[in-house]
Amino acid sequence: MRFVRSLKFRGWALIGATALCLALPGAITTLGNSAHAGGTLEERKQPMHFKWNACQADCRGWVSAVGIVTSDSPKEFEEFARGRQLAGATIVLDSSGGSVNDSIALGRKFRGLGALTTVGSTVRTQTANGERASVTPEAYCESMCVFLLLSGKARYVPPVAHVRVHQIWMGDRADDAKAASYTAQDLMIVQRDIGRLTKYTFDMGGTGDLLSLALSVPPWEDLHELSRGELRLTNLVTTDALADVFLQDNATPMAAAKPSKPQDRFVSSAAVEGDAQQAPGKSTKTAEAAVPTGGAATAPAQPQK
């Protein structure tokens, strides 16, 4: 399957028509990777939670956002932010995605704060001076998490982080998407939510290539991991300098890591200059129960990624 290198606005009509039979954004679908084992993987499959991580005297600290976006996530973030000075804060993401509409709402809250975003996993270690928090760069931002990443005023992705995209789908039908039945109401929801996601993408400064790449990957295929070239093409990365998202004086809370190995990433069929072809990999897909997220209580379950 070929991915387009550029996309003009008039092309969205074609994308929307193609997605009608493929994308259904609303019920929670979680997509993980076996490389993250044990408690870390399980935490990413739980509802999203937020935590403030204090740093040393020469570092500002950051917000860790871990887990799946649910209908409660925007409100929980509001409660978390109340009483905290989070303007311009760094938000470190480790998530398998979640509700389309609630992710859009949460992303707009992040942008309203002028937040800075990155991908990482927060770890805590005991030292002689007490507990110390740091960020491990090899983490995962998948599905709707990618659009949360896009909400940052400045956006940094470590070379070893995994940013993966796919189509949005009804979570209660993602396990056997080809055999499931879909109604005209489902297709109406698809078109509406693709429109919302498209507007959000452009509002956040993303490019049409991001949606073009995501809408090309059905749920029965492995997630597509964005190459470094594709991260730049979609405008998900605005800086290659860690210091642009961790505004500290003398310390860097993100640990150093070796460059990712070729086998850690998926094959990209996008013809992006300067990117070598990568070997394929596998990802696990787990669909949770279809729970209405976003919109009126009487509306059908909303699609999600």
Side-chain angles (χ1 to χ4, degrees), residues 1-264:
M1 184 177 295
R2 296 180 61 195
F3 294 119
V4 296
R5 178 169 175 79
S6 63
L7 185 65
K8 296 182 179 180
F9 187 78
R10 65 184 181 182
W12 284 118
L14 178 59
I15 287 179
T18 303
L20 282 180
C21 298
L22 300 177
L24 289 173
I28 294 176
T29 301
T30 63
L31 299 130
N33 186 284
S34 58
H36 259 223
T40 302
L41 177 59
E42 291 306 314
E43 188 176 17
R44 293 177 58 248
K45 294 169 64 177
Q46 301 301 317
M48 181 168 280
H49 62 274
F50 308 96
K51 183 177 178 61
W52 174 256
N53 301 277
C55 204
Q56 304 303 314
D58 50 6
C59 176
R60 286 183 53 190
W62 64 94
V63 176
S64 56
V66 183
I68 296 169
V69 178
T70 70
S71 58
D72 295 325
S73 299
K75 181 180 178 182
E76 289 180 356
F77 180 74
E78 279 188 357
E79 294 174 353
F80 168 81
R82 190 174 297 119
R84 288 186 169 95
Q85 300 297 322
L86 295 184
T90 299
I91 298 178
V92 180
L93 297 161
D94 188 15
S95 170
S96 297
S99 162
V100 170
N101 291 322
D102 296 303
S103 295
I104 290 173
L106 184 58
R108 291 195 183 279
K109 292 182 186 299
F110 290 173
R111 177 57 65 90
L113 290 170
L116 315 173
T117 54
T118 187
V119 180
S121 177
T122 299
V123 296
R124 292 172 181 80
T125 56
Q126 292 294 330
T127 70
N129 297 322
E131 187 178 73
R132 182 183 179 91
S134 61
V135 177
T136 299
E138 188 168 5
Y140 295 80
C141 185
E142 300 171 326
S143 191
M144 283 307 298
C145 174
V146 175
F147 293 88
L148 291 180
L149 174 65
L150 187 62
S151 71
K153 185 176 65 175
R155 305 180 285 274
Y156 170 78
V157 175
V160 296
H162 306 276
V163 178
R164 296 171 173 173
V165 296
H166 70 143
Q167 292 172 354
I168 51 182
W169 211 273
M170 293 299 249
D172 60 342
R173 279 162 279 188
D175 279 340
D176 196 1
K178 289 184 178 180
S181 297
Y182 306 98
T183 67
Q185 183 78 352
D186 292 330
L187 299 184
M188 179 278 294
I189 294 172
V190 171
Q191 295 183 76
R192 181 200 66 190
D193 287 353
I194 288 177
R196 290 175 177 175
L197 195 58
T198 300
K199 183 180 187 304
Y200 170 87
T201 298
F202 287 120
D203 286 348
M204 296 296 110
T207 70
D209 299 279
L210 176 56
L211 281 163
S212 179
L213 286 162
L215 294 179
S216 297
V217 186
W220 52 84
E221 294 183 3
D222 292 322
L223 282 75
H224 173 71
E225 180 158 328
L226 299 179
S227 67
R228 298 305 296 183
E230 288 168 338
L231 288 170
R232 294 188 295 270
L233 181 66
T234 56
N235 211 24
L236 280 167
V237 166
T238 63
T239 179
D240 291 324
L242 176 62
D244 287 342
V245 294
F246 281 108
L247 306 178
Q248 65 286 331
D249 295 326
N250 300 312
T252 301
M254 184 173 285
K258 298 179 180 178
S260 58
K261 298 179 181 178
Q263 62 266 29
D264 291 336

